[in-house]
Amino acid sequence: GYANIDNHREIRVGYPEVIYCAGKTVEQVRGIVEFMNTKNNNILATRATEEMFRAVKEVCGEAKYNSMAKIITIEKREIPKKDTYIAVVTAGTSDMPVAEEAAVTAEFLGNKVERIIDVGVAGIHRLFNKLEIIRGAKVIIVAAGMEGALASVVGGLVDKPIIAVPTSVGYGASFNGLAALLSMLNSCASGVSVVNIDNGFGAGYLASVINKL
Amino acid sequence: GYANIDNHREIRVGYPEVIYCAGKTVEQVRGIVEFMNTKNNNILATRATEEMFRAVKEVCGEAKYNSMAKIITIEKREIPKKDTYIAVVTAGTSDMPVAEEAAVTAEFLGNKVERIIDVGVAGIHRLFNKLEIIRGAKVIIVAAGMEGALASVVGGLVDKPIIAVPTSVGYGASFNGLAALLSMLNSCASGVSVVNIDNGFGAGYLASVINKL
Amino acid sequence: GYANIDNHREIRVGYPEVIYCAGKTVEQVRGIVEFMNTKNNNILATRATEEMFRAVKEVCGEAKYNSMAKIITIEKREIPKKDTYIAVVTAGTSDMPVAEEAAVTAEFLGNKVERIIDVGVAGIHRLFNKLEIIRGAKVIIVAAGMEGALASVVGGLVDKPIIAVPTSVGYGASFNGLAALLSMLNSCASGVSVVNIDNGFGAGYLASVINKL
Amino acid sequence: GYANIDNHREIRVGYPEVIYCAGKTVEQVRGIVEFMNTKNNNILATRATEEMFRAVKEVCGEAKYNSMAKIITIEKREIPKKDTYIAVVTAGTSDMPVAEEAAVTAEFLGNKVERIIDVGVAGIHRLFNKLEIIRGAKVIIVAAGMEGALASVVGGLVDKPIIAVPTSVGYGASFNGLAALLSMLNSCASGVSVVNIDNGFGAGYLASVINKL
Amino acid sequence: GYANIDNHREIRVGYPEVIYCAGKTVEQVRGIVEFMNTKNNNILATRATEEMFRAVKEVCGEAKYNSMAKIITIEKREIPKKDTYIAVVTAGTSDMPVAEEAAVTAEFLGNKVERIIDVGVAGIHRLFNKLEIIRGAKVIIVAAGMEGALASVVGGLVDKPIIAVPTSVGYGASFNGLAALLSMLNSCASGVSVVNIDNGFGAGYLASVINKL
Amino acid sequence: GYANIDNHREIRVGYPEVIYCAGKTVEQVRGIVEFMNTKNNNILATRATEEMFRAVKEVCGEAKYNSMAKIITIEKREIPKKDTYIAVVTAGTSDMPVAEEAAVTAEFLGNKVERIIDVGVAGIHRLFNKLEIIRGAKVIIVAAGMEGALASVVGGLVDKPIIAVPTSVGYGASFNGLAALLSMLNSCASGVSVVNIDNGFGAGYLASVINKL
Amino acid sequence: GYANIDNHREIRVGYPEVIYCAGKTVEQVRGIVEFMNTKNNNILATRATEEMFRAVKEVCGEAKYNSMAKIITIEKREIPKKDTYIAVVTAGTSDMPVAEEAAVTAEFLGNKVERIIDVGVAGIHRLFNKLEIIRGAKVIIVAAGMEGALASVVGGLVDKPIIAVPTSVGYGASFNGLAALLSMLNSCASGVSVVNIDNGFGAGYLASVINKL
Amino acid sequence: GYANIDNHREIRVGYPEVIYCAGKTVEQVRGIVEFMNTKNNNILATRATEEMFRAVKEVCGEAKYNSMAKIITIEKREIPKKDTYIAVVTAGTSDMPVAEEAAVTAEFLGNKVERIIDVGVAGIHRLFNKLEIIRGAKVIIVAAGMEGALASVVGGLVDKPIIAVPTSVGYGASFNGLAALLSMLNSCASGVSVVNIDNGFGAGYLASVINKL
Ligand SMILES: Nc1ncnc2c1ncn2[C@@H]1O[C@H](COP(=O)(O)O)[C@@H](O)[C@H]1O
Ligand SMILES: Nc1ncnc2c1ncn2[C@@H]1O[C@H](COP(=O)(O)O)[C@@H](O)[C@H]1O
Ligand SMILES: Nc1ncnc2c1ncn2[C@@H]1O[C@H](COP(=O)(O)O)[C@@H](O)[C@H]1O
Ligand SMILES: Nc1ncnc2c1ncn2[C@@H]1O[C@H](COP(=O)(O)O)[C@@H](O)[C@H]1O
Ligand SMILES: [Mg+2]
Ligand SMILES: [Mg+2]
Ligand SMILES: [Mg+2]
Ligand SMILES: [Mg+2]
Ligand SMILES: [Mg+2]
Ligand SMILES: [Mg+2]
Ligand SMILES: [Mg+2]
Ligand SMILES: [Mg+2]
């Protein structure tokens, strides 16, 4: 009674429906997985707690959990990987949970991912050291909190599409990610678009769509 | 003295620097065009007034002006068009200036564009009538004001990357495009990313980058 | 000393005063129920915790509790049901607590309710599958979080009044329901009005008023 | 090329598409009217300037203009009026343009309207003097700016649905109608729902839908 | 080291410094009371927790605690009461903690207080029943959350200064008292001024200053 | 038809209704004055333009206009002045229009007013030079824009009620008076309450009520 | 009557009072200059219009006007220049009016200024080309609109104090400089502090204070 | 894998990288310290919990913890102190944690610090009592919550650069420090710049940079 799974989604948009666990009870998450498990689909559940994972594990033994990304994955069919890769870049160490949500999502959807961590603009030479690997990607995800300047700086240095993910890292006038969000929306570099604050999943998903074009 | 043109940009990110005319004087715009005109580059100037166009015309006779898009273009070298196309979709008639800014930018950068106008969710069958042409695009731009719901609806129906452009069309609690912006950032459909309010140029530019991958 | 019950309300506006439990102590809720119980009225208490329910149960054995809706009901007189019905529609599974608050309120006030769950715009065919039952209602409640686009889409498809309830489902730039609220206020479809974020009670109450016209 | 009129709307939601003139050029408005005029529908155009009216008049001689409501109407078929009426209540004199937009819309759609003007809470006896006529309506529109308290006060006195329209009347911390909007969304009286700031059209339309149930 | 008590304040503004306990440690509160206790002043401490009270009690046996108002009082000298009184009016039961902070502060400062509870505009006859006692006050405090309309309604009915206290009672678009705050600042009734959200202390203090003029 | 004058107000709250001209047409203002002029009341009209004044002058020759305060006054009966006075204090020169609105209102209502101009905290000795005259008032109005600190500073130095009026003087992050408004609402000095941004009238009116207690 | 010049300021804070012309009438500006001119001080007037300049010129022939900075200067005594210099850096051409306000203020107060224009992060090599001259300054002003990232990037590259000035350059979600303001306040680079949006004067003044330490 | 320490920073900007512990796990903080400890640098870690300190202590015995400032320091090389000093001024007792973060940072970086606590504008004579010591500093930090007026008042009294730190002390319309932030950004006194809400570290760091010029 509590869910209306969009089984048709894979045909329509190319991927099965993803379970967004926040705001659902443990019972609901288990029930939805149990139902989807009867189809032969791979299953991805984001924003999942440890407790949800344990409940899912009971109904589906091959489920795996990435605790930094807070993602449950169930891979029933092996997913072939594309040759080109997605770069996931973070400004700081604290942006890693969001970046991992993006990276794990993208890998689950059949992409290779390169992680470039902690190269924020306060020490911009760290970015230049990694520029080659970033430029080699087909699409680039930049996760940054605080003032989110990294997205603009990367945007000025590459000729690939950039998906900027503002993170809620920061305090005070960061207003839980609003500062980074506004910053990224106003990027003076072209080729940058933005997803919701902390929306690693959305960034990883879109990067996958673009990487597979 | 008043500008420091980034001549190196074409090599670095694949396109020459674009002139953003808002906040510049007519003199400055003319001067910048005059300087860039000495190189053999195509020139794009956005947010240009009629008066700016007339000033530019004096120093560069082949300049053209699209008054709905408020864009000046100078094409010195013919730009070969890609085979795949970009769809530019609007919710209402009033979103057309933003959509045109996107479309003209994308065309200038060497892309074919299909325009699908006035298919907002208040009469959703209008969208379904155009679904085939939208689905045929390699990348889709959706421009919508008011509640910006069209981006989510399109997002649920296609397997292509969607660039959502909130427009400032609306009044009252639209807060000059904020409602559409927030709406698009929170899209329940995956594959949607967002650029600044009324940023047709940014959407057209990014769509071009993706279309050429 | 702590409350001034509006006993006159039933005569004036057609329904007895409803107890809003948030911000009241368990003692206050019990006391108010105890007092109202001396009249021969049905009693409705919203935003009630389990603990409040247990306290109320002590003074009034026939009290019932709906834990998803967080509502206590005491029905002393049977309530005749109208023939026409109210549709309660949700975008996702996570919107159900708000939708239940609306549905339980409407039922308590003497209305038949049809629940249509998890038909958000990310998979819009799910909505079309249920359109007949939605169109058959006399008044429609739409509860949606994130970008709240469902209200506009339904609004464009029916000729009945729509009460939109933004929910706080979402994160980041949903700003606890603000995105959905603004979205619904700016609906491009006509016939849509809005109540407070998460205000299932208000939606159910108003729907009842309209259903009984 | 610039509009995609929803001719099907009357069948689907019971009324033809309404022209929202803000953000359209005079040429566009004239063109849309010219096109719609070829059908045998009545035509309503809101947010129309005097200049737009003159242009419309050229292509359609029977067009009429209400300058306070800023509405153009073209009535090709007489509209039968319902017996029950809609009350349009304003807090002050300055709220009248919004109230007129609501009233003229409702009348155009086939409803009788009673106007009760300038009965704001600063002199609440003025409201009590008119209570009988307000209570006699089938549905009530309350337009108020500043703190918008009138909606709550009326809400506590009647057993009919109330459509609250915040107006942008006020200054400073009214933030162009935000104060009234928030006030109305948080009404402690039940039975009140809200439309966008200054959205007289939306209120009149919804009132008509309810009045005709 | 951690405080710099303003002993001179009584001479300058007529009252001793008040201890604002929020953001202070239990140790700091006890220490400040201990120090002030060496002077022969009455002591008032607001926003005090039960734990702070127990600590204060150790160093000053005659301390009293009002748990609804969260106020500690130490009365070393009896305070003569003025003949005229202050009315403290609340819209709902949930506004009582704020109202009590105001009332206890005013009493501590030497004023008689009349409490009129739960007379919000959803049932406005409750207010009219108490109008005489409200009109008899020299100054009136109105505490209300949600839409805060009560302040305007009272303001239109009396010829006394009104101190409006928005409370954080509410949810969703009340934004923790912002709706009531904006509402009260935009009151269409004259004679109303506003203090901070939940600032019962400030209202009680100012009412005392006015009552003693 | 367009106004519903509250003739009863003088009896109820002690003063006749005041005409708020913003958002009214010149015709409406003239008409309201013409109607009120048939009673033997003094008339006050705020936010009046020069053009409105000329229209009023035609129907009422003794009307006077204060162009800085933007106030029209018509004094038919002499107003006796209270002995005690109201101090109107401004931070800067630019705050004078708001301060004059307050002062002229208070004088019209029968109060003596002392103006103390341009004593903002950037040069705080200017305030100390005037402290005696400020302290001698029965009630004090402080008008300040930018950061509005003057209200707190005065609040710490006097034992009289202070009515703080934030002004929209400033730019950037003053957000049209929001900075001063928030500042004044959070005053660390007690005895300060706040009226709307630029609401000189409200401050003058309330000061008069208090001065006459 | 309308100003209370702080003649003592030079002794107290080291500089004479500066005239802030916005919100003053032409008459007031002329009058204040006329008065200050009787002292032997240099005079600085910011936010001055051409019309104000012409009025000032009448009473003080040696007045000069910088139309980009909108500053009037009157130098009666030559101002000795410090050896060390202040760098004024802008992200784009459109930030120049703010940067000039800063530069002209600093020069007036006795400082050498180096201007580095149009070196925003979209083309970061432009910044590196100028790094030596920026690093040679004693204090650095960075003026940037849009996302304001330049302040952070410079902050990570130098060991000097940086005064960041957000400008209102941008549109949409720049919210008139709010995006740049929040960005700069959340700079991940240390050594950066912020002044008000478009406050070139404040930046130039503070830079002068620091340069003279 | 989770951090990319900027070892080059000391050479580039004059200080080693500082560890910002918020948003990092205990493991990450310990690991980063362990790595940095292999270099011969002094180490500063801000926003550290007690638990983090205990973990750090295990890998580095000489670590010290200031629990009010929430700072871990490891001093491997003695830091010579400058002769000139920094003044750290607070408005109230509750602002002390932020002030201590500033003071401890500045001391760690080789500066003498004078603390002047609880001299807010509600009792301004407390400030005047300390004016000499404040004026003697080379640079002044002012930490204040609520309305943050202290920064402006100090700014009008000294000729030194002032770094204003808004604190989140307050409630209601302080909006977690927003009121103080806006207030300080709009200071009518010149020479004041602002860092993020509660950013004691940033203030202390910048003060050190200036003090060492
Ligand atoms: N004053 C108004 N306010 C809000 N929506 C309106 C108004 N007038 C018309 N509309 C809606 O706007 C739609 C037309 O939008 P568009 O396609 O941009 O012309 C109509 O079908 C109405 O539903
Ligand atoms: N982390 C996430 N952030 C945003 N959207 C998500 C996330 N994970 C899943 N989704 C979307 O949420 C939808 C399910 O929402 P619901 O019906 O409430 O379960 C999925 O189809 C996805 O498109
Ligand atoms: N509940 C309260 N709300 C606002 N201000 C208060 C409150 N209680 C005390 N105060 C003020 O806070 C001042 C003390 O602040 P502090 O120096 O931080 O202890 C007192 O002198 C009062 O003016
Ligand atoms: N452009 C500016 N931005 C901010 N403050 C300014 C500016 N120019 C001058 N000021 C300040 O404004 C004060 C004068 O304000 P007023 O009393 O209103 O004339 C001066 O003493 C300066 O401190
Ligand atoms: Mg790092
Ligand atoms: Mg349309
Ligand atoms: Mg779902
Ligand atoms: Mg009126
Ligand atoms: Mg109640
Ligand atoms: Mg001044
Ligand atoms: Mg440039
Ligand atoms: Mg204190």
Side-chain angles (χ1 to χ4, degrees), chain A residues 92 118 126, chain H residues 17:
Chain A
D118 201 16
R126 297 177 302 182
Chain H
E17 179 165 355

Side-chain angles (χ1 to χ4, degrees), chain H residues 126-208:
Chain H
R126 297 178 301 182
L127 177 67
F128 289 113
N129 292 343
K130 306 278 180 165
L131 209 47
E132 212 169 335
I133 196 163
I134 297 174
R135 281 189 169 141
K138 187 155 168 200
V139 49
I140 299 157
I141 293 170
V142 177
M146 297 172 134
E147 91 282 54
L150 187 59
S152 292
V153 173
V154 174
L157 294 167
V158 304
D159 59 355
K160 299 294 164 36
I162 291 170
I163 304 167
V165 196
T167 74
S168 54
V169 168
Y171 58 88
S174 99
F175 296 125
N176 304 313
L178 179 65
L181 171 63
L182 294 184
S183 187
M184 288 164 166
L185 285 167
N186 285 285
S187 178
C188 60
S190 305
V192 178
S193 65
V194 187
V195 295
N196 195 8
I197 297 166
D198 289 337
N199 190 3
F201 162 72
Y205 185 100
L206 175 56
S208 173

Side-chain angles (χ1 to χ4, degrees), chain A residues 15 18 35 46 73 75-76 87 95 97 99 102 174 209 212:
Chain A
Y15 297 102
V18 173
F35 170 81
T46 65
T73 46
E75 294 200 16
K76 317 202 107 173
D95 302 312
S174 98
V209 173
K212 295 191 169 173

